[in-house]
Amino acid sequence: MSDAGTVIVGGGLAAVRTAEQLRRNGYTDPITVVGAEDHPPYDRPPLSKQMLRGEVDDVALKPTAFYDDNAITLRLGAAAWAVDVDAHTVALADGETLGYDRLVIATGLVPQRIPSLGEVDGICVLRSLDDCVALRGRAAAARRAVVIGAGFIGCEVAAALRSRGLAVVLVESQAAPLAGVLGAQAGALIARLHRDEGVDVRTGVQVASVTGDDHVEAVTLSDGSVLAADLVVVGVGSRPATEWLTGSGIDVADGVVCDAVGRTGAADVWAIGDVASWRDAAGAQVRVEHWSNVAEQARIMVAAMLGSAPVAAGVPYFWSDQYDVKIQCLGHPRAGDTVHLVEDYDVASRRFLAYYERDGRLAAVVGAGVPEKIRAARALIAGGVAITDVLQPV
């Protein structure tokens, strides 16, 4: 059994930000980062954009020297298998057992698949670096792609494949792309963006089957449409990677259940990032799957772990790059919010701006091509400003 200290299970952004914050705050005990993949921690957002388009190959979060300089041990290629919260140990798939003083769960997400589609060659998902390399290789030889699911990953993959010259059909069961996150009104604007780029956007339908002998040949939709395809990408969401916690006594319910600073109900066990369900100011458990959320969570969690002064949470921010458009969001938009379209989608400039009203107040802002207006909304959302004070007179 190795020396104790802090063991961080998960080899991505949340693990790196946690280790970074621990060292910045004067923590000198051992830090071990356990990653199931053989790759050192890497950045995931470029996988569905620059890397899939073939523009970059190196997506490492930090150079190797960072880990040496900060005395951070990387334990790669050995997934965590189980936790004994009483003994304060983590068992790895390769048979090793690590002791810990503090355990941080940062295992992220596992992509959902559609079992009914079978195992026809040419059906892909995109979550890991290896997934991206495989998908990029297939895209180089493909001509027609069907992307199932128009969430952020599906939309970004559709944009990347279209930029590579493939004919792309984007299939979404809801009324519009990203409708479950941004609502149908903003989703319709994003559908227009994709259609302007030549993507065939099909909404309100599901995939019924995928056919092909040795390789994907066609996709049949629930409305009877048959789409020729030699590449299918499934982007129907992800689930928290928590199977390895079964039987540990750590509470799991759509993620690892935490308080408002990332502390679980098990002694000395914390969770951060996509896998973590933190309690928000209203007392609800919320799991946020956005890159920018992780740095803030790391500051809050590490301060609590080390007994430092509390760190206040800011206004959530996330973005999505699709074609040459950066779609930005501040706050937590919900599908049931009242949406005020301040600037309708403009074909030439590709700008739009929408305010989200909840309980009479500005709850979120979503837009493209208007970064200064997005930034200006941060203080308004944080201050709970009434929507009537934000909207311009008609």
Short mmCIF file of all heavy atoms in Angstrom, two decimals, residues 137-186:
data_model
loop_
_atom_site.label_atom_id
_atom_site.label_comp_id
_atom_site.label_asym_id
_atom_site.label_seq_id
_atom_site.Cartn_x
_atom_site.Cartn_y
_atom_site.Cartn_z
N GLY A 137 -10.11 9.22 -37.90
CA GLY A 137 -9.67 8.31 -38.95
C GLY A 137 -10.82 7.84 -39.81
O GLY A 137 -10.70 7.76 -41.04
N ARG A 138 -11.94 7.55 -39.18
CA ARG A 138 -13.12 7.11 -39.95
C ARG A 138 -13.67 8.25 -40.80
O ARG A 138 -14.11 8.05 -41.93
CB ARG A 138 -14.20 6.60 -39.00
CG ARG A 138 -13.86 5.26 -38.34
CD ARG A 138 -14.99 4.80 -37.44
NE ARG A 138 -14.73 3.53 -36.80
CZ ARG A 138 -14.94 2.34 -37.35
NH1 ARG A 138 -15.40 2.27 -38.60
NH2 ARG A 138 -14.69 1.24 -36.68
N ALA A 139 -13.65 9.47 -40.24
CA ALA A 139 -14.19 10.62 -40.97
C ALA A 139 -13.38 10.90 -42.23
O ALA A 139 -13.92 11.37 -43.24
CB ALA A 139 -14.20 11.85 -40.07
N ALA A 140 -12.08 10.61 -42.18
CA ALA A 140 -11.23 10.85 -43.34
C ALA A 140 -11.62 9.99 -44.53
O ALA A 140 -11.39 10.36 -45.69
CB ALA A 140 -9.77 10.60 -42.97
N ALA A 141 -12.24 8.84 -44.25
CA ALA A 141 -12.62 7.93 -45.33
C ALA A 141 -14.13 7.94 -45.60
O ALA A 141 -14.60 7.24 -46.49
CB ALA A 141 -12.18 6.51 -44.97
N ALA A 142 -14.88 8.73 -44.85
CA ALA A 142 -16.34 8.73 -44.97
C ALA A 142 -16.82 9.84 -45.88
O ALA A 142 -16.12 10.82 -46.15
CB ALA A 142 -16.97 8.87 -43.58
N ARG A 143 -18.06 9.69 -46.34
CA ARG A 143 -18.70 10.71 -47.17
C ARG A 143 -20.00 11.22 -46.57
O ARG A 143 -20.34 12.39 -46.71
CB ARG A 143 -18.97 10.17 -48.57
CG ARG A 143 -17.72 9.89 -49.40
CD ARG A 143 -18.09 9.46 -50.81
NE ARG A 143 -18.91 8.24 -50.79
CZ ARG A 143 -19.73 7.87 -51.76
NH1 ARG A 143 -19.89 8.65 -52.82
NH2 ARG A 143 -20.40 6.73 -51.68
N ARG A 144 -20.72 10.31 -45.88
CA ARG A 144 -22.04 10.66 -45.35
C ARG A 144 -22.13 10.23 -43.89
O ARG A 144 -21.96 9.05 -43.58
CB ARG A 144 -23.14 9.97 -46.16
CG ARG A 144 -23.16 10.38 -47.64
CD ARG A 144 -24.23 9.61 -48.40
NE ARG A 144 -23.98 8.16 -48.34
CZ ARG A 144 -23.21 7.51 -49.21
NH1 ARG A 144 -22.61 8.16 -50.19
NH2 ARG A 144 -23.05 6.21 -49.10
N ALA A 145 -22.41 11.19 -43.01
CA ALA A 145 -22.49 10.90 -41.58
C ALA A 145 -23.86 11.24 -41.04
O ALA A 145 -24.50 12.21 -41.47
CB ALA A 145 -21.43 11.70 -40.82
N VAL A 146 -24.31 10.42 -40.10
CA VAL A 146 -25.51 10.71 -39.32
C VAL A 146 -25.08 10.88 -37.87
O VAL A 146 -24.43 10.00 -37.31
CB VAL A 146 -26.56 9.59 -39.44
CG1 VAL A 146 -27.73 9.85 -38.48
CG2 VAL A 146 -27.07 9.48 -40.87
N VAL A 147 -25.41 12.03 -37.30
CA VAL A 147 -25.11 12.31 -35.90
C VAL A 147 -26.42 12.20 -35.12
O VAL A 147 -27.38 12.93 -35.41
CB VAL A 147 -24.49 13.70 -35.72
CG1 VAL A 147 -24.20 13.96 -34.24
CG2 VAL A 147 -23.20 13.81 -36.53
N ILE A 148 -26.45 11.29 -34.16
CA ILE A 148 -27.67 11.06 -33.37
C ILE A 148 -27.56 11.83 -32.06
O ILE A 148 -26.70 11.55 -31.23
CB ILE A 148 -27.85 9.56 -33.08
CG1 ILE A 148 -27.81 8.75 -34.37
CG2 ILE A 148 -29.16 9.32 -32.34
CD1 ILE A 148 -27.79 7.24 -34.14
N GLY A 149 -28.43 12.81 -31.89
CA GLY A 149 -28.42 13.62 -30.68
C GLY A 149 -27.83 14.99 -30.96
O GLY A 149 -26.69 15.10 -31.41
N ALA A 150 -28.61 16.04 -30.71
CA ALA A 150 -28.17 17.41 -30.99
C ALA A 150 -27.98 18.19 -29.71
O ALA A 150 -28.47 19.31 -29.56
CB ALA A 150 -29.17 18.10 -31.92
N GLY A 151 -27.27 17.58 -28.74
CA GLY A 151 -26.80 18.33 -27.60
C GLY A 151 -25.51 19.03 -28.00
O GLY A 151 -25.19 19.17 -29.18
N PHE A 152 -24.74 19.46 -27.01
CA PHE A 152 -23.52 20.19 -27.34
C PHE A 152 -22.53 19.32 -28.12
O PHE A 152 -21.97 19.75 -29.13
CB PHE A 152 -22.86 20.73 -26.07
CG PHE A 152 -23.55 21.94 -25.51
CD1 PHE A 152 -24.24 21.87 -24.31
CD2 PHE A 152 -23.52 23.14 -26.21
CE1 PHE A 152 -24.88 22.99 -23.81
CE2 PHE A 152 -24.17 24.26 -25.72
CZ PHE A 152 -24.86 24.19 -24.51
N ILE A 153 -22.31 18.09 -27.67
CA ILE A 153 -21.37 17.22 -28.37
C ILE A 153 -21.87 16.92 -29.78
O ILE A 153 -21.12 17.01 -30.76
CB ILE A 153 -21.14 15.91 -27.59
CG1 ILE A 153 -20.41 16.20 -26.27
CG2 ILE A 153 -20.34 14.91 -28.43
CD1 ILE A 153 -19.00 16.74 -26.46
N GLY A 154 -23.15 16.57 -29.90
CA GLY A 154 -23.69 16.26 -31.22
C GLY A 154 -23.59 17.43 -32.18
O GLY A 154 -23.19 17.27 -33.34
N CYS A 155 -23.93 18.63 -31.71
CA CYS A 155 -23.85 19.82 -32.57
C CYS A 155 -22.41 20.12 -32.96
O CYS A 155 -22.13 20.46 -34.11
CB CYS A 155 -24.47 21.02 -31.86
SG CYS A 155 -26.28 21.00 -31.79
N GLU A 156 -21.48 20.00 -32.01
CA GLU A 156 -20.08 20.28 -32.31
C GLU A 156 -19.50 19.25 -33.27
O GLU A 156 -18.73 19.59 -34.18
CB GLU A 156 -19.27 20.35 -31.01
CG GLU A 156 -19.61 21.58 -30.18
CD GLU A 156 -18.97 21.57 -28.80
OE1 GLU A 156 -18.24 20.61 -28.48
OE2 GLU A 156 -19.22 22.53 -28.05
N VAL A 157 -19.86 17.98 -33.08
CA VAL A 157 -19.39 16.94 -33.99
C VAL A 157 -19.97 17.15 -35.38
O VAL A 157 -19.25 17.03 -36.39
CB VAL A 157 -19.75 15.54 -33.45
CG1 VAL A 157 -19.56 14.47 -34.52
CG2 VAL A 157 -18.91 15.22 -32.22
N ALA A 158 -21.25 17.49 -35.46
CA ALA A 158 -21.86 17.75 -36.76
C ALA A 158 -21.13 18.88 -37.48
O ALA A 158 -20.86 18.80 -38.69
CB ALA A 158 -23.34 18.08 -36.60
N ALA A 159 -20.81 19.95 -36.73
CA ALA A 159 -20.11 21.08 -37.32
C ALA A 159 -18.71 20.68 -37.79
O ALA A 159 -18.27 21.07 -38.88
CB ALA A 159 -20.03 22.23 -36.32
N ALA A 160 -18.01 19.90 -36.97
CA ALA A 160 -16.65 19.48 -37.34
C ALA A 160 -16.66 18.58 -38.56
O ALA A 160 -15.83 18.74 -39.47
CB ALA A 160 -16.00 18.77 -36.15
N LEU A 161 -17.59 17.64 -38.61
CA LEU A 161 -17.66 16.73 -39.76
C LEU A 161 -18.06 17.48 -41.03
O LEU A 161 -17.55 17.21 -42.11
CB LEU A 161 -18.65 15.60 -39.48
CG LEU A 161 -18.25 14.63 -38.37
CD1 LEU A 161 -19.34 13.57 -38.17
CD2 LEU A 161 -16.91 13.95 -38.66
N ARG A 162 -18.97 18.45 -40.87
CA ARG A 162 -19.37 19.24 -42.05
C ARG A 162 -18.18 20.06 -42.56
O ARG A 162 -18.00 20.19 -43.78
CB ARG A 162 -20.53 20.17 -41.67
CG ARG A 162 -21.09 20.94 -42.84
CD ARG A 162 -21.86 20.03 -43.78
NE ARG A 162 -22.21 20.74 -45.02
CZ ARG A 162 -21.79 20.37 -46.22
NH1 ARG A 162 -20.99 19.32 -46.37
NH2 ARG A 162 -22.17 21.04 -47.29
N SER A 163 -17.37 20.58 -41.64
CA SER A 163 -16.21 21.37 -42.06
C SER A 163 -15.17 20.50 -42.77
O SER A 163 -14.35 21.02 -43.54
CB SER A 163 -15.57 22.05 -40.85
OG SER A 163 -14.90 21.12 -40.03
N ARG A 164 -15.23 19.19 -42.55
CA ARG A 164 -14.34 18.26 -43.25
C ARG A 164 -14.89 17.85 -44.61
O ARG A 164 -14.27 17.05 -45.31
CB ARG A 164 -14.10 17.01 -42.39
CG ARG A 164 -13.36 17.27 -41.09
CD ARG A 164 -13.14 15.98 -40.33
NE ARG A 164 -12.30 15.08 -41.10
CZ ARG A 164 -11.01 14.81 -40.82
NH1 ARG A 164 -10.42 15.39 -39.79
NH2 ARG A 164 -10.32 13.98 -41.57
N GLY A 165 -16.07 18.36 -44.94
CA GLY A 165 -16.63 18.09 -46.26
C GLY A 165 -17.63 16.96 -46.32
O GLY A 165 -18.12 16.63 -47.41
N LEU A 166 -17.98 16.37 -45.16
CA LEU A 166 -18.96 15.28 -45.17
C LEU A 166 -20.37 15.83 -45.31
O LEU A 166 -20.67 16.94 -44.83
CB LEU A 166 -18.87 14.45 -43.89
CG LEU A 166 -17.79 13.37 -43.82
CD1 LEU A 166 -16.40 13.98 -43.69
CD2 LEU A 166 -18.07 12.42 -42.65
N ALA A 167 -21.24 15.07 -45.93
CA ALA A 167 -22.67 15.35 -45.88
C ALA A 167 -23.16 14.86 -44.52
O ALA A 167 -22.94 13.71 -44.15
CB ALA A 167 -23.39 14.62 -47.00
N VAL A 168 -23.82 15.74 -43.77
CA VAL A 168 -24.17 15.44 -42.38
C VAL A 168 -25.67 15.58 -42.17
O VAL A 168 -26.27 16.58 -42.57
CB VAL A 168 -23.43 16.36 -41.40
CG1 VAL A 168 -23.83 16.05 -39.96
CG2 VAL A 168 -21.91 16.21 -41.57
N VAL A 169 -26.26 14.57 -41.52
CA VAL A 169 -27.63 14.65 -41.03
C VAL A 169 -27.58 14.64 -39.51
O VAL A 169 -26.97 13.75 -38.91
CB VAL A 169 -28.50 13.48 -41.53
CG1 VAL A 169 -29.93 13.64 -41.03
CG2 VAL A 169 -28.49 13.41 -43.06
N LEU A 170 -28.19 15.63 -38.89
CA LEU A 170 -28.23 15.74 -37.43
C LEU A 170 -29.63 15.39 -36.97
O LEU A 170 -30.60 16.05 -37.34
CB LEU A 170 -27.86 17.17 -37.02
CG LEU A 170 -27.81 17.51 -35.53
CD1 LEU A 170 -26.81 16.64 -34.80
CD2 LEU A 170 -27.48 18.99 -35.34
N VAL A 171 -29.74 14.33 -36.18
CA VAL A 171 -31.05 13.79 -35.78
C VAL A 171 -31.28 14.05 -34.30
O VAL A 171 -30.44 13.71 -33.45
CB VAL A 171 -31.12 12.26 -36.04
CG1 VAL A 171 -32.46 11.71 -35.59
CG2 VAL A 171 -30.87 11.97 -37.52
N GLU A 172 -32.41 14.67 -33.96
CA GLU A 172 -32.72 15.02 -32.58
C GLU A 172 -34.18 14.69 -32.28
O GLU A 172 -35.08 15.06 -33.04
CB GLU A 172 -32.46 16.51 -32.34
CG GLU A 172 -32.94 17.05 -31.02
CD GLU A 172 -32.37 16.31 -29.82
OE1 GLU A 172 -31.13 16.14 -29.75
OE2 GLU A 172 -33.18 15.88 -28.97
N SER A 173 -34.42 13.99 -31.17
CA SER A 173 -35.78 13.60 -30.83
C SER A 173 -36.62 14.76 -30.30
O SER A 173 -37.85 14.72 -30.37
CB SER A 173 -35.75 12.48 -29.78
OG SER A 173 -35.11 12.92 -28.59
N GLN A 174 -35.97 15.79 -29.77
CA GLN A 174 -36.72 16.94 -29.27
C GLN A 174 -37.05 17.90 -30.42
O GLN A 174 -36.69 17.68 -31.58
CB GLN A 174 -35.91 17.66 -28.19
CG GLN A 174 -35.65 16.79 -26.97
CD GLN A 174 -35.06 17.58 -25.83
OE1 GLN A 174 -35.74 18.36 -25.17
NE2 GLN A 174 -33.77 17.37 -25.57
N ALA A 175 -37.71 19.01 -30.08
CA ALA A 175 -38.21 19.93 -31.11
C ALA A 175 -37.10 20.73 -31.78
O ALA A 175 -37.30 21.26 -32.87
CB ALA A 175 -39.23 20.89 -30.50
N ALA A 176 -35.93 20.81 -31.14
CA ALA A 176 -34.83 21.60 -31.69
C ALA A 176 -33.53 21.15 -31.06
O ALA A 176 -33.53 20.56 -29.97
CB ALA A 176 -35.06 23.10 -31.42
N PRO A 177 -32.41 21.41 -31.70
CA PRO A 177 -31.13 21.14 -31.06
C PRO A 177 -31.02 21.89 -29.73
O PRO A 177 -31.48 23.03 -29.60
CB PRO A 177 -30.11 21.69 -32.07
CG PRO A 177 -30.82 21.64 -33.39
CD PRO A 177 -32.25 21.93 -33.07
N LEU A 178 -30.44 21.23 -28.74
CA LEU A 178 -30.18 21.82 -27.44
C LEU A 178 -31.44 22.31 -26.72
O LEU A 178 -31.36 23.11 -25.80
CB LEU A 178 -29.18 22.97 -27.56
CG LEU A 178 -27.76 22.55 -27.96
CD1 LEU A 178 -26.95 23.73 -28.44
CD2 LEU A 178 -27.07 21.89 -26.79
N ALA A 179 -32.61 21.82 -27.15
CA ALA A 179 -33.86 22.29 -26.54
C ALA A 179 -33.91 21.97 -25.06
O ALA A 179 -34.45 22.75 -24.27
CB ALA A 179 -35.05 21.67 -27.27
N GLY A 180 -33.35 20.82 -24.66
CA GLY A 180 -33.38 20.45 -23.25
C GLY A 180 -32.51 21.31 -22.37
O GLY A 180 -32.71 21.38 -21.16
N VAL A 181 -31.54 22.01 -22.97
CA VAL A 181 -30.61 22.85 -22.21
C VAL A 181 -30.96 24.32 -22.33
O VAL A 181 -31.02 25.05 -21.34
CB VAL A 181 -29.16 22.62 -22.69
CG1 VAL A 181 -28.18 23.47 -21.88
CG2 VAL A 181 -28.80 21.15 -22.62
N LEU A 182 -31.20 24.76 -23.57
CA LEU A 182 -31.42 26.18 -23.84
C LEU A 182 -32.86 26.53 -24.14
O LEU A 182 -33.19 27.71 -24.27
CB LEU A 182 -30.54 26.62 -25.01
CG LEU A 182 -29.04 26.37 -24.88
CD1 LEU A 182 -28.31 26.89 -26.11
CD2 LEU A 182 -28.47 27.01 -23.61
N GLY A 183 -33.73 25.52 -24.27
CA GLY A 183 -35.10 25.77 -24.65
C GLY A 183 -35.27 25.72 -26.16
O GLY A 183 -34.32 25.87 -26.92
N ALA A 184 -36.52 25.54 -26.60
CA ALA A 184 -36.80 25.35 -28.02
C ALA A 184 -36.52 26.60 -28.84
O ALA A 184 -36.11 26.52 -30.01
CB ALA A 184 -38.24 24.91 -28.21
N GLN A 185 -36.70 27.78 -28.26
CA GLN A 185 -36.55 29.02 -29.02
C GLN A 185 -35.09 29.24 -29.42
O GLN A 185 -34.77 29.48 -30.58
CB GLN A 185 -37.07 30.21 -28.22
CG GLN A 185 -37.22 31.47 -29.04
CD GLN A 185 -38.01 32.55 -28.30
OE1 GLN A 185 -38.54 32.33 -27.23
NE2 GLN A 185 -38.08 33.73 -28.88
N ALA A 186 -34.18 29.14 -28.45
CA ALA A 186 -32.75 29.28 -28.76
C ALA A 186 -32.28 28.10 -29.60
O ALA A 186 -31.43 28.25 -30.49
CB ALA A 186 -31.93 29.39 -27.48
#
